[in-house]
Amino acid sequence: MWTILGSSRLLAACFPVWRPLLRNNTSLASIQTVLKLQEKKCNSVVYPTRDLEKLLSPDIDRSNFRLFDPTIEEITTAESLFRPTAKHVIDFVTSAIRMDHTPELQQPEVCFIGRSNVGKSSLIKALFALVPGIEVRVSKTPGHTKKMNFFKVGKAFTLVDMPGYGYRAPEDFTEMVEAYIQERRNLKRTFLLVDGSIGIQEADLIAIEMCEEFGIPYAMVMTKMDRSRPAVLVTQYMQIHEFIKSQTQGCFPQPFIVSSLHFSGIHLLRCFIAHVTGNLQKVS
Ligand SMILES: Nc1nc2c(ncn2[C@@H]2O[C@H](COP(=O)(O)OP(=O)(O)OP(=O)(O)O)[C@@H](O)[C@H]2O)c(=O)[nH]1
Ligand SMILES: [Mg+2]
């Protein structure tokens, strides 16, 4: 029983089903069956690419698939950073449209860039799902986010939501975002979001070129994975994987896949953010 309870710490956070089962004196065997099913579901939510890997033929090189492969314990540790307390306040700080309007924060920072409507604000909202009352505005209308929005996660790090590029981008987008990415000293990682259901588009190539030219470390995140069938998703994943390997220098070789709607990949991304901002060891 201890093993079941011990291995289900994250499970309990994702799917708190075992509590009512225990209260109702359900038999241990049925609890185990339910937990096994939930654990499988939970693994798919936490490590979404593992399900995709199963669809690939065995001869495909998987060496970069699990470069970042934290344990459940590390994932749980990172989760605590995204849970606010009286001493660890998670909140919106300010908006800025120019570099000289950006807040002077010393803590490490990560930012989210991508085409208008790709799901940047939705992803930040999902990352902050444990923060009651925090406002991150999303919209079906492209070009919704017009400013750089800064959110502080205690003294640990800052997340920055950016306006999108491409269709209906703000006029001063280039000035605003390029300057930020090039000049922001505490920027530890840029997350470049691409729509997982359609893959890399022309406008994404321009952003990739910008990241490469500035020599900044960045990572690609495939969004809206709930919109594609696994077979389509795995094809996009492999294409992006190959693209990163052959065409980029500064991009982390392992793309992330998320669904902000179903919370898939969100735990892993939280953990990666904790890692790149140097916070994973601090809280463990
Ligand atoms: N199905 C699905 N829809 C999503 C997901 N993420 C975002 N969306 C939808 O995509 C639309 C755009 O989402 P936003 O998060 O506002 O996109 P954005 O990249 O911030 O857009 P801009 O601020 O305009 O640059 C909204 O209608 C969201 O509900 C997802 O994971 N799955
Ligand atoms: Mg937005």
Side-chain angles (χ1 to χ4, degrees), residues 151-169:
F151 297 87
K152 77 170 175 154
V153 178
K155 293 193 173 79
F157 53 87
T158 311
L159 297 192
V160 189
D161 186 11
M162 290 286 183
Y165 45 77
Y167 181 61
R168 296 193 64 191

Side-chain angles (χ1 to χ4, degrees), residues 82 110 112 127 157 159 191 269-277:
F82 286 85
V110 298
F112 295 79
L127 291 167
F157 53 87
L159 297 192
F191 290 96
L269 201 58
R270 282 183 185 139
C271 194
F272 189 67
I273 293 170
H275 168 66
V276 296
T277 55

Side-chain angles (χ1 to χ4, degrees), residues 11-266:
L11 218 163
C14 294
F15 305 99
V17 286
W18 58 272
R19 287 178 196 279
L21 288 175
L22 287 178
R23 269 203 301 275
N24 294 341
N25 289 330
T26 318
S27 76
L28 188 58
S30 13
I31 294 176
Q32 275 174 323
T33 312
V34 172
L35 280 179
K36 272 221 171 81
L37 279 172
Q38 296 294 349
E39 196 167 347
K40 201 165 164 246
K41 219 169 170 186
C42 193
N43 264 323
S44 301
V45 170
V46 177
Y47 303 106
T49 49
R50 290 191 186 173
D51 284 349
L52 295 183
E53 280 177 37
K54 291 179 198 151
L55 302 175
L56 296 170
S57 75
D59 55 316
I60 286 181
D61 175 19
R62 289 163 160 77
S63 49
N64 284 341
F65 283 19
R66 297 196 187 178
L67 273 187
F68 182 70
D69 192 28
T71 60
I72 286 289
E73 284 71 27
E74 288 170 318
I75 297 248
T76 314
T77 301
E79 289 291 290
S80 64
L81 281 166
F82 286 85
R83 195 171 293 117
T85 63
K87 283 191 176 160
H88 179 70
V89 177
I90 302 178
D91 209 353
F92 169 71
V93 182
T94 190
S95 294
I97 48 163
R98 291 204 327 245
M99 262 316 268
D100 54 356
H101 292 170
T102 55
E104 283 194 25
L105 299 164
Q106 301 306 319
Q107 58 207 46
E109 206 156 277
V110 298
C111 74
F112 295 79
I113 62 170
R115 281 187 304 115
S116 314
N117 216 236
V118 74
K120 301 173 293 295
S121 304
S122 302
L123 177 57
I124 292 181
K125 198 173 179 169
L127 291 167
F128 286 151
L130 306 170
V131 187
I134 196 161
E135 199 181 346
V136 188
R137 292 202 192 133
V138 309
S139 167
K140 344 190 239 258
T141 314
H144 187 73
T145 308
K146 298 281 183 213
K147 299 174 180 177
M148 304 186 270
N149 293 321
F150 293 75
F151 297 87
K152 77 170 175 154
V153 178
K155 293 193 173 79
F157 53 87
T158 311
L159 297 192
V160 189
D161 186 11
M162 290 286 183
Y165 45 77
Y167 181 61
R168 296 193 64 191
E171 266 172 33
D172 39 9
F173 172 86
T174 316
E175 219 173 288
M176 189 187 331
V177 178
E178 280 197 13
Y180 168 87
I181 286 181
Q182 202 171 15
E183 293 168 28
R184 192 74 170 170
R185 289 215 172 150
N186 49 338
L187 180 62
K188 296 291 173 204
R189 196 70 55 136
T190 294
F191 290 96
L192 197 160
L193 276 55
V194 295
D195 190 323
S197 55
I198 49 177
I200 296 173
Q201 303 290 291
E202 200 63 39
D204 299 319
L205 291 174
I206 297 169
I208 292 167
E209 211 172 286
M210 173 185 77
C211 293
E212 290 288 323
E213 194 186 314
F214 295 163
I216 53 152
Y218 64 106
M220 264 190 234
V221 180
M222 296 168 60
T223 61
K224 307 188 184 182
M225 67 170 281
D226 54 281
R227 286 200 174 160
S228 303
R229 283 180 295 114
V232 176
L233 199 60
V234 78
T235 309
Q236 294 293 0
Y237 183 74
M238 288 311 297
Q239 276 173 6
I240 290 180
H241 208 273
E242 194 44 47
F243 177 89
I244 296 174
K245 197 164 134 192
S246 59
Q247 315 273 326
T248 70
Q249 302 279 327
C251 188
F252 188 63
Q254 174 187 345
F256 291 87
I257 308 192
V258 296
S259 163
S260 303
L261 198 67
H262 295 167
F263 284 93
S264 311
I266 299 298

